[in-house]
Amino acid sequence: MSAAIELISVVVTIMGLGVASQVLADRLQVPSVVFLILAGVLVGPEGLGVITPSVFGETLQAIVGLSVAIIVFEGAFHLRIERLRGAQRETLLLVTLGAFVSLVGTAVVVRYALGAPWDVAILIGSLLIATGPTVITPIMNVVPVRERVASTLETEGVVNDVTAAILAIVTFEYVLLGSQGPLALVGEFALRFGLGIAVGGTIAAGLWYVLRHGTQAVENAPQNARLMVLVSSLAMYGVAEVLGARFGASEAGIAAVATGGFVLGNTDIPYRDTIEQFKGDVSLLVIAFVFITLASLLSLRDLLSLGVGGIVAVVVIAVIVRPLGVLLSTGGGRLTTPERLFISALGPRGIIPASVATLFALELQATNQTAATTLVGTVFLVIFATVVIEGGLARHIAQALDVIPMRAIIIGGGRVGRELAQRLEERGEEVVLIERDEQECERLRERGFTVHKGDGTRQEVLERAGVGNARIVAASTQDDDVNLLIGQLAKNTYDIETVVARVNEPSNLDAFEDLDVEAISTSMSVAWSMDNVIERPGISKWMTELDRDGDVQEVEVTSEDHAGKTVATLGEELPEGCHLALISRDETNRLPEADDTIELGDHLTFIGRRSAVREAIDYCTS
């Protein structure tokens, strides 16, 4: 009975610390994994001694394995093909060339900084390839970088989690347990990966069919769908592990859940939102459990045994090896130099290296205590340093590199909102749509838009969409009351710079103007466009052609290098096909004359070819 009570108290303590860490992380806008690791050390043998390795006994391996299965499945489930298109080349190179550079570089550092044998160094290098979703996703939740940056990091994390787990298992058997033959490494890796893909894809396909055709007419269908997805993720892991053990290919389960999650996440399944929310809540609890449990098993003696060499290894891995792999993999693509530097600075390791290293160490203790100590000490030191330092400083690094874009949030994904989003994205804005209808959300995602499902009048929905870092909020629904409430929230609660709202009933215009919201009457806009065609056909045609081939943009002069120049001088420096059409200063507009002087803070309106206008904007702000 005492053992049962001890186990209950440990589980309750871990869950309580997990929830507290999440709440504290949300309050301080710091990734939760930082507090989870600190909490694990606090309650472990090196701290209060509440959790000891003997509590879970021989079941620890199974518990960690199932927990990792849920975590990897949830990360892969959110990995959409549409998000990969923005940085497809960079992602592919990161998970191939970048992973290879990480493995080789880490192995060399461990070999010469710590004096470890080559087999142990290669094993550690294999494990530390992983930058998993368990640490990347919480960081991305509090650092709202561009979608292409977030998708690159998250895809790298999911793929490299699987790669690292399988490669480490194969390496462990090959270099430490005496597997024979140089081709065994490649063959065993391919066997595990292939088996996992086959099992995960098959179970995912079966689940998709059941969800599409066997649940929607059943009472409590959403609840049943959530439970079926959860059980299926565990089944993928379990079946792959059982088959893997039979064919000598253990750890195929990680590849299975990654495959199954990715397949289901990119298919049309019912109740997607409720499944995502449920899986997210379960994953938070599982992440808390695994991180705190594994951190509690960390021995201070293992870390101190590394000495100065351990610190040197961590610094070189984080400051040289990681940036080298990223910069070699991302050159010449869509990522800007600051974005590449941000990805270089963000390489925290997570659950996979922690859990697998712990299991390896338990197996090595009886035969090679030195190797076990070096393995656990190095892996956990890198995890602890990268998660705490890089995770804690991620937002500050992003701000210093200026890679957090000001967002444009559009509430309402109908025809008006969709057209506005497309126009803003074509001009380089970071656009997020908020839509209540689930089917409309799916259609918008299929078109490549970033969409949050929810009620745009609720603060938690706006904050999840990134309103705290928004420059523009546009309310484009068909309900004036909804648009008015959104405008009020955006202006009074979040102090958004530009708030614009669609007004469907002209008599409501005064209410919007009283809130200092830019009101656009749909009926007046249509009438104005029709009047242009009737009275000003030349201008109307010119505007239509401009919309297809050209652009009109307003930009604030923020570079001191351009302040003091005359319009004539600036005109000579502008790209061909672009003209300065208007100067706005102190809320007054004037047509530019050759001897007018440009001042810092002036708003300049450029007109011309789209590419030329973009160049002019970059020129005036750089």
Side-chain angles (χ1 to χ4, degrees):
M1 180 63 71
S2 60
I5 293 175
E6 182 183 10
L7 183 60
I8 292 173
S9 64
V10 166
V11 172
V12 171
T13 299
I14 292 174
M15 293 295 98
L17 288 171
V19 173
S21 297
Q22 185 63 47
V23 172
L24 186 59
D26 289 340
R27 176 66 63 88
L28 299 179
Q29 291 290 285
V30 174
S32 60
V33 289
V34 174
F35 299 107
L36 293 175
I37 289 182
L38 295 176
V41 174
L42 176 65
V43 298
E46 303 295 333
L48 301 177
V50 176
I51 302 176
T52 60
S54 61
V55 172
F56 299 101
E58 297 181 356
T59 63
L60 180 61
Q61 182 174 355
I63 294 173
V64 171
L66 291 172
S67 300
V68 170
I70 294 174
I71 294 167
V72 173
F73 180 90
E74 202 262 344
F77 187 81
H78 287 88
L79 192 61
R80 302 295 177 82
I81 292 176
E82 292 84 1
R83 295 189 66 191
L84 305 183
R85 292 172 181 164
Q88 188 175 18
R89 174 182 174 276
E90 292 88 342
T91 302
L92 179 61
L93 287 174
L94 268 179
V95 300
T96 50
L97 175 61
F100 178 77
V101 170
S102 176
L103 189 157
V104 174
T106 301
V108 170
V109 171
V110 172
R111 173 71 178 89
Y112 292 103
L114 299 175
W118 275 113
D119 53 2
V120 175
I122 293 172
L123 179 61
I124 293 173
S126 301
L127 278 172
L128 292 180
I129 287 174
T131 57
T134 54
V135 286
I136 292 296
T137 300
I139 293 173
M140 293 298 96
N141 288 339
V142 298
V143 186
V145 294
R146 288 190 182 276
E147 283 295 312
R148 61 173 178 253
V149 178
S151 64
T152 299
L153 282 166
E154 290 174 354
T155 307
E156 180 198 20
V158 172
V159 174
N160 280 356
D161 254 6
V162 179
T163 303
I166 296 177
L167 185 59
I169 292 290
V170 173
T171 304
F172 182 69
E173 293 179 355
Y174 181 72
V175 300
L176 293 178
L177 299 184
S179 295
Q180 299 298 318
L183 296 179
L185 186 66
V186 176
E188 292 182 12
F189 182 84
L191 177 60
R192 286 171 168 83
F193 226 113
L195 180 61
I197 291 173
V199 171
T202 301
I203 295 179
L207 178 60
W208 171 84
Y209 182 83
V210 173
L211 289 174
R212 290 286 296 173
H213 304 286
T215 63
Q216 299 191 53
V218 180
E219 187 177 359
N220 295 326
Q223 180 182 7
N224 293 338
R226 294 195 301 265
L227 295 175
M228 289 169 64
V229 171
L230 176 61
V231 172
S232 295
S233 65
L234 298 176
M236 293 171 191
Y237 179 80
V239 171
E241 287 293 297
V242 170
L243 292 177
R246 178 171 298 180
F247 294 106
S250 58
E251 297 302 323
I254 301 297
V257 293
T259 301
F262 181 75
V263 170
L264 280 176
N266 286 279
T267 54
D268 184 18
I269 58 174
Y271 319 116
R272 175 181 294 276
D273 289 315
T274 185
I275 289 172
E276 286 182 347
Q277 184 176 2
F278 174 71
K279 289 287 293 177
D281 291 341
V282 172
S283 293
L284 283 176
L285 291 176
V286 171
I287 289 171
F289 179 83
V290 175
F291 257 115
I292 292 176
T293 301
L294 294 180
S296 70
L297 304 181
L298 182 62
S299 170
L300 184 61
R301 190 183 307 107
D302 293 339
L303 297 180
L304 293 177
S305 67
L306 300 177
V308 177
I311 298 175
V312 172
V314 171
V315 172
V316 175
I317 289 170
V319 177
I320 297 178
V321 176
R322 169 67 178 175
L324 179 62
V326 171
L327 294 176
L328 287 175
S329 304
T330 58
R334 290 187 59 191
L335 295 172
T336 65
T337 298
E339 289 171 345
R340 295 170 65 204
L341 292 174
F342 175 73
I343 295 173
S344 300
L346 206 64
R349 276 60 173 188
I351 287 291
I352 292 295
S355 57
V356 177
T358 301
L359 300 179
F360 285 170
L362 294 175
E363 189 169 349
L364 284 173
Q365 281 177 348
T367 58
N368 194 337
Q369 180 64 44
T370 301
T373 300
T374 302
L375 173 64
V376 172
T378 305
V379 170
F380 270 93
L381 187 60
V382 171
I383 292 172
F384 190 82
T386 56
V387 167
V388 173
I389 297 175
E390 295 178 1
L393 296 178
R395 190 176 187 90
H396 301 288
I397 295 172
Q399 290 172 338
L401 293 172
D402 195 24
V403 296
I404 301 180
M406 298 298 287
R407 293 188 168 184
I409 297 179
I410 301 173
I411 298 88
R415 289 189 297 271
V416 174
R418 187 170 59 244
E419 181 68 24
L420 177 60
Q422 184 173 339
R423 288 169 175 265
L424 292 176
E425 285 194 341
E426 287 175 354
R427 293 201 292 268
E429 297 281 357
E430 182 79 1
V431 180
V432 177
L433 279 158
I434 297 177
E435 171 59 45
R436 300 180 63 174
D437 183 77
E438 184 172 345
Q439 292 183 342
E440 187 62 39
C441 286
E442 289 303 317
R443 284 192 288 268
L444 290 168
R445 291 190 182 107
E446 289 173 359
R447 295 189 178 199
F449 294 111
T450 301
V451 187
H452 287 263
K453 181 181 179 298
D455 183 352
T457 63
R458 299 178 64 86
Q459 289 185 236
E460 59 268 27
V461 174
L462 290 170
E463 289 172 1
R464 192 167 63 245
V467 71
N469 200 57
R471 182 174 64 89
I472 301 167
V473 168
S476 64
T477 76
Q478 297 180 5
D479 190 326
D480 283 0
D481 291 335
V482 169
N483 293 343
L484 186 64
L485 180 55
I486 292 169
Q488 186 176 20
L489 281 171
K491 273 293 182 183
N492 298 337
T493 303
Y494 299 106
D495 194 27
I496 303 299
E497 177 183 337
T498 302
V499 181
V500 59
R502 170 184 176 181
V503 182
N504 302 283
E505 178 56 54
S507 61
N508 293 329
L509 282 170
D510 290 342
F512 286 86
E513 292 172 355
D514 289 342
L515 292 174
D516 197 24
V517 172
E518 294 290 339
I520 308 298
S521 170
T522 53
S523 57
M524 291 176 63
S525 297
V526 173
W528 179 78
S529 298
M530 295 176 73
D531 183 47
N532 276 340
V533 173
I534 297 169
E535 295 294 332
R536 293 168 286 275
I539 292 178
S540 177
K541 183 178 179 181
W542 175 73
M543 289 294 294
T544 302
E545 293 173 349
L546 178 67
D547 193 47
R548 286 195 296 263
D549 305 319
D551 202 0
V552 178
Q553 286 289 321
E554 179 179 317
V555 62
E556 180 181 355
V557 178
T558 58
S559 173
E560 295 184 358
D561 294 338
H562 304 307
K565 292 182 179 179
T566 64
V567 168
T569 302
L570 182 65
E572 294 174 356
E573 298 172 352
L574 290 177
E576 184 179 354
C578 178
H579 303 278
L580 177 61
L582 195 68
I583 299 176
S584 302
R585 181 184 303 161
D586 298 329
E587 298 185 356
T588 60
N589 303 319
R590 57 176 296 171
L591 296 174
E593 297 183 4
D595 57 351
D596 284 342
T597 302
I598 305 298
E599 297 182 4
L600 203 64
D602 280 355
H603 284 247
L604 308 181
T605 299
F606 293 106
I607 187 170
R609 289 185 296 104
R610 185 163 308 192
S611 58
V613 170
R614 297 262 179 93
E615 290 180 29
I617 291 174
D618 292 339
Y619 176 75
C620 290
T621 56
S622 61

